[in-house]
Amino acid sequence: MSTVALKDAELPISADDFNALEQRVLRTVELLKQEREARAMAEQNANTLQQLLDEQSAQLTKVQEQVKAFEQERETVRQRVERLLNQLEEISA
């Protein structure tokens, strides 16, 4: 064995030092658990938000198509009204 290994083995660890180390390890484990739970929750929220975004995107596409159809219908009606007005003017003249 090397002399470094012997020196490390010979170093006495007090009970207080060991308890402090144990407490730090336990806190670290608890923090890790909390972070994993927070990550899982964040991933779940992200998935939920993605689903909502997909739904709203589909609704937006549908509404855009409806607006386009209404604009076309409005243009058709405008043209018909103009023709009728022109015919009325011809009758009046």
Side-chain angles (χ1 to χ4, degrees):
M1 244 186 219
S2 71
T3 56
V4 175
L6 287 175
K7 288 181 183 178
D8 287 343
E10 294 172 359
L11 292 176
I13 297 178
S14 71
D16 289 339
D17 291 340
F18 186 76
N19 286 336
L21 179 60
E22 181 181 20
Q23 290 302 314
R24 289 180 69 184
V25 169
L26 292 174
R27 280 195 312 253
T28 302
V29 168
E30 187 60 34
L31 284 173
L32 183 60
K33 285 180 185 178
Q34 290 173 1
E35 290 302 316
R36 284 183 178 167
E37 289 174 4
R39 181 179 178 180
M41 186 177 290
E43 287 176 355
Q44 183 179 7
N45 288 342
N47 290 336
T48 301
L49 291 173
Q50 184 62 49
Q51 289 174 348
L52 288 173
L53 179 61
D54 292 344
E55 290 172 7
Q56 288 182 350
S57 182
Q59 283 181 325
L60 176 61
T61 301
K62 184 178 178 181
V63 168
Q64 287 173 332
E65 290 171 356
Q66 287 177 341
V67 167
K68 187 175 180 178
F70 289 147
E71 287 174 346
Q72 290 173 347
E73 184 179 344
R74 184 191 72 196
E75 182 62 24
T76 302
V77 169
R78 186 186 64 76
Q79 290 173 358
R80 290 177 70 186
V81 168
E82 282 181 3
R83 266 186 278 154
L84 290 173
L85 289 174
N86 286 336
Q87 289 177 356
L88 286 175
E89 279 182 18
E90 290 177 5
I91 294 173
S92 298

